[in-house]
Amino acid sequence: MSILSLNSVVKRFGGLTAVNKFSAELQPGELCALIGPNGSGKTTIFNIITGVYAPTNGKVFFDDRDISGKKPNEIANLGISRTFQNIRLFKGLNVLENVMVGHHLRLKSDPISAILQLPGYMAEDRKMHTEAYELLESVNLSHLADKQATALPYGQQRKLEIARALATHPKLLLLDEPAAGMNPQEAEELMEFILHILKTFDLTIFLIEHQMRVVMGICPRIIVIDHGEQIAEGAPELIQNNPRVIEAYLGVTENA
């Protein structure tokens, strides 16, 4: 049974069709990439999955449940988390506190209990602190727990953003261009990091990425879209030699 299924999804903005009859399935534990030229609709698809946009037509199913048009917080509570193209860490918080923000999704205490620091909330807060530190240990970032988040090197900030997403206890993690702006060494470390969390946290990962070295290096299956439509799907070696993919990226056919 697939963990994520998009069935003939369409998204229109006025007269512009950003996504056109897009269908895809992800299996539990899979690491799959979604690639395509700039403006091809990749992030729009992620926004539909996470509830930022409701599909104009079509359905999205997660864990055999129709999530089409649900609100982002509802979808997050069901077990989908994401990162963004631009790093969105909290500037005034340290590394540990940024991860603790992710744990707030699972808090049961109401805001009044938090303001008054009632015993129930304080117990949850201590548990949240412990779990956040343990999560940092599991991704080898615990030695940075007290550091200002935005003072970290770029590559570590990316890893921290992913760690914060993991704090929500997702079943499905969406990574939107995690290697953007990274140098080759940082990209190599990120590849190892993604494979590590895939195994450690028993996740399914859907990845948008422009660095083909990252995509081809770690993703067993790749989906390619252009102008909002799927044009290819398969293993890296098949995608690399697909004439439609070459044309979409280069603007010419393979024999041109």
Side-chain angles (χ1 to χ4, degrees):
M1 181 186 297
S2 60
I3 190 169
L4 178 71
S5 178
L6 294 95
N7 298 339
S8 298
V9 169
V10 175
K11 182 59 184 178
R12 298 190 185 95
F13 298 97
L16 172 67
T17 300
V19 177
N20 189 27
K21 297 180 180 179
F22 178 83
S23 296
E25 289 190 354
L26 268 67
Q27 303 305 315
E30 186 176 13
L31 170 55
C32 180
L34 178 65
I35 68 171
N38 288 330
S40 59
K42 303 182 297 295
T43 296
T44 300
I45 289 171
F46 269 26
N47 285 338
I48 291 170
I49 295 170
T50 55
V52 176
Y53 301 144
T56 305
N57 294 109
K59 295 288 186 180
V60 181
F61 293 90
F62 174 67
D63 249 1
D64 209 28
R65 180 187 303 213
D66 186 355
I67 62 170
S68 311
K70 285 188 176 294
K71 296 178 181 179
N73 64 303
E74 295 174 327
I75 291 174
N77 272 302
L78 291 174
I80 298 179
S81 189
R82 73 176 293 181
T83 63
F84 297 85
Q85 292 178 18
N86 299 316
I87 295 176
R88 300 187 181 186
L89 298 175
F90 292 96
K91 296 181 180 180
L93 303 181
N94 64 27
V95 168
L96 181 64
E97 290 165 341
N98 264 273
V99 175
M100 289 174 68
V101 169
H103 281 288
H104 275 85
L105 181 68
R106 304 297 174 188
L107 286 180
K108 297 179 181 178
S109 299
D110 57 58
I112 298 300
S113 298
I115 294 171
L116 299 178
Q117 297 190 336
L118 298 179
Y121 169 78
M122 296 307 295
E124 279 196 299
D125 185 69
R126 288 190 295 270
K127 181 180 179 182
M128 181 171 58
H129 188 282
T130 299
E131 289 183 355
Y133 190 82
E134 289 174 348
L135 193 155
L136 286 174
E137 284 187 318
S138 70
V139 296
N140 301 314
L141 292 175
S142 59
H143 61 292
L144 302 171
D146 295 328
K147 300 290 185 181
Q148 194 75 8
T150 52
L152 298 181
Y154 184 81
Q156 289 181 332
Q157 287 191 37
R158 282 286 185 188
K159 292 178 181 178
L160 174 57
E161 187 177 39
I162 294 172
R164 186 179 61 193
L166 292 172
T168 67
H169 300 171
K171 297 177 184 177
L172 172 63
L173 179 62
L174 308 181
L175 302 177
D176 194 348
E177 296 193 37
M182 287 188 174
N183 61 42
Q185 181 179 346
E186 290 171 332
E188 185 71 30
E189 292 174 356
L190 178 73
M191 291 163 65
E192 295 176 2
F193 184 78
I194 291 173
L195 292 174
H196 171 70
I197 64 172
L198 181 70
K199 180 179 179 180
T200 302
F201 293 91
D202 191 24
L203 286 170
T204 302
I205 297 179
F206 202 14
L207 167 76
I208 292 174
E209 186 50 63
H210 280 292
Q211 285 206 36
M212 289 299 104
R213 181 165 171 264
V214 173
V215 173
M216 301 296 173
I218 63 173
C219 297
R221 184 165 68 99
I222 300 168
I223 299 170
V224 188
I225 63 170
D226 188 29
H227 296 97
E229 298 182 358
Q230 181 175 318
I231 61 171
E233 178 182 354
E237 58 271 17
L238 295 177
I239 296 301
Q240 285 177 313
N241 298 305
N242 186 297
R244 291 194 67 189
V245 175
I246 294 170
E247 182 178 5
Y249 273 95
L250 301 180
V252 295
T253 62
E254 189 176 17
N255 297 321

